[in-house]
Amino acid sequence: MGKITGFMEYQRLQEASEAPLARKKHYKEFSVHLTNDQVKVQSARCMDCGIPFCNNGCPVNNIIPDWNDLVYNGNYKLALETLHSTNNFPEFTGRICPAPCESACTLGINDDAVGIKSIEHFIIDKGWENGWVLPQISAIKTGKKIAVVGSGPAGLAAAQQLARVGHDVTVFEKNDRVGGLLRYGIPDFKMEKSHIDKRVTQMQAEGVTFRTGVFVGKDFPSNITNWAKETVSPEQLQKDFDAVIIAGGAETPRDLPVPGRELKGVHFAMDFLPLQNKINAGDKLKDQLLATGKNVIVIGGGDTGSDCVGTSNRHGAKSVAQFELMPQPPEQENKPLVWPYWPTKLRTSSSHEEGCDRDWAVATKRLEGKGGKVEKLIACRVEWKDGKMQEVADSEFEMKADLVLLAMGFVSPVQQVLEAFGVSMDARGNAKATTDGEGCYKTNVANVYAAGDMRRGQSLVVWAIREGRQCAREVDAALMGDSVLPR
């Protein structure tokens, strides 16, 4: 490594960010990448550990020690090439990935892990700043045509890989802009959408065609955001293309079946978050769902719930509370027990820092209101005994609620899409396709593949990129007899 004793000499440094009170006034990103001097010190903390568990902790198997060493020595361009060799979109993961690589860092056993995510953020931003991120245009054309359904991270990764080996790739997106849940599921203050736009421009130069506002299927489902203006049947895609990759997101939200669910003011998170992103993009909306001046309760303690908290604060909510069904996790994980795996521990997001009353082991019993409008939420404390959840006696309480946002995760991809293709599904409603042996990512329908959330269910952006890349290799090998694409 660049500095063998660096891990003993230097402390972990977090990226600088704008103060919570200031950043709540806008929707721009508020964290900045490290300086050249800072990133040199942080990359110096990477140990010569012998077995870099971070590589396996990272779903795309980033070659982390290698680019840490290159950054330490100031070779940023080669560090970018090394980073891009495993990850098509490090500007996405360097901003929104929870960094399982850091949980697997060997230094993390008894010290703060190497700041891998901040170094990745630095490398890709340095690449864009210096014009090093260029289209990789294939010198040959295979004549094979491939359709990719969904323009989230899985679809984009698959499309880019296939275009770079000479295939004609068309990406179909039901929304009015490219990006899938990257575009409309993640607030701009976590990732500005210019990063997607720059990649789209690069991919268009590489030969990828994007068709937005097109729903692939038959009947458009009513429970997902709809800006589609056109419908294309699976039969038409199978006729026009040599292979089809279904790479949509897990967009069927988990509902809350309690009395009062039908009241006005009770919404899924994805009825709320995309609208602000559209406003930020310059769109005009007649009926935007706003938290301004309201008592907001977010049900669900994950990332989507956190995004609802941050957006509500920026709207100027009167109060924001967030409930989680599970017990409060420990502030510090038991490292000897869980390392190098992802630990269960208390995580405080940037949105929580901006203002939020958090509570755990809380179950919603009912919602009440007048005139068809929600006014309060009735909840209770719960505890787990013998593997079962039960209500704590005499623990019922109520809270004012003008807006209730359901952010309890997503149960499956859109069933109508898979049914329209005739794709077999597993017990969770995901497309049934293996990642091992022959026919990886291939569904039961001839020349139809599935990757990302569509195959594995709700997951991380970095897992979607991995599956998109791997699926692209399988498609290329099936069409050409072999593939030079990395797996």
Side-chain angles (χ1 to χ4, degrees), residues 282-399:
D283 292 353
K284 303 295 183 182
L285 301 180
K286 293 181 179 179
D287 300 308
Q288 184 188 359
L289 181 58
L290 293 169
T292 310
K294 296 177 181 178
N295 296 297
V296 179
I297 297 180
V298 179
I299 301 178
D303 289 340
T304 303
S306 173
D307 295 342
C308 290
V309 169
T311 302
S312 295
N313 278 326
R314 281 162 178 75
H315 284 179
K318 184 177 181 180
S319 68
V320 182
Q322 184 179 25
F323 292 155
E324 167 59 49
L325 185 65
M326 300 301 291
Q328 181 175 344
E331 292 190 12
Q332 182 61 51
E333 74 271 30
N334 187 336
K335 288 186 178 181
L337 180 65
V338 300
W339 182 89
Y341 301 107
W342 182 251
T344 297
K345 67 176 183 179
L346 181 63
R347 303 176 192 278
T348 300
S349 73
S350 60
S351 293
H352 294 143
E353 294 171 352
E354 295 163 3
C356 175
D357 293 325
R358 305 170 72 188
D359 206 346
W360 290 265
V362 173
T364 302
K365 296 185 71 174
R366 63 187 181 276
L367 300 161
E368 297 181 357
K370 294 179 181 178
K373 177 74 172 63
V374 69
E375 291 185 337
K376 59 183 176 180
L377 179 147
I378 313 301
C380 67
R381 304 286 171 185
V382 295
E383 58 184 355
W384 295 83
K385 288 186 177 181
D386 301 323
K388 296 181 179 180
M389 185 185 71
Q390 61 185 44
E391 181 178 346
V392 175
D394 301 320
S395 67
E396 186 173 298
F397 65 96
E398 66 178 54
M399 289 186 66

Side-chain angles (χ1 to χ4, degrees), residues 166-227:
H167 300 305
D168 292 323
V169 183
T170 301
V171 177
F172 294 86
E173 170 57 53
K174 71 180 184 306
N175 292 326
D176 55 352
R177 295 181 177 90
V178 172
L181 291 174
L182 285 171
R183 173 76 65 175
Y184 287 123
I186 297 172
D188 289 2
F189 55 81
K190 288 178 66 175
M191 190 187 82
E192 293 177 16
K193 303 309 176 269
S194 59
H195 304 298
I196 303 174
D197 297 336
K198 288 189 291 187
R199 283 296 180 181
V200 169
T201 299
Q202 179 196 38
M203 292 174 65
Q204 287 173 327
E206 293 170 341
V208 177
T209 299
F210 291 95
R211 290 185 59 185
T212 57
V214 179
F215 176 71
V216 176
K218 295 177 181 178
D219 299 322
F220 197 98
S222 60
N223 62 341
I224 63 173
T225 304
N226 176 14
W227 293 300

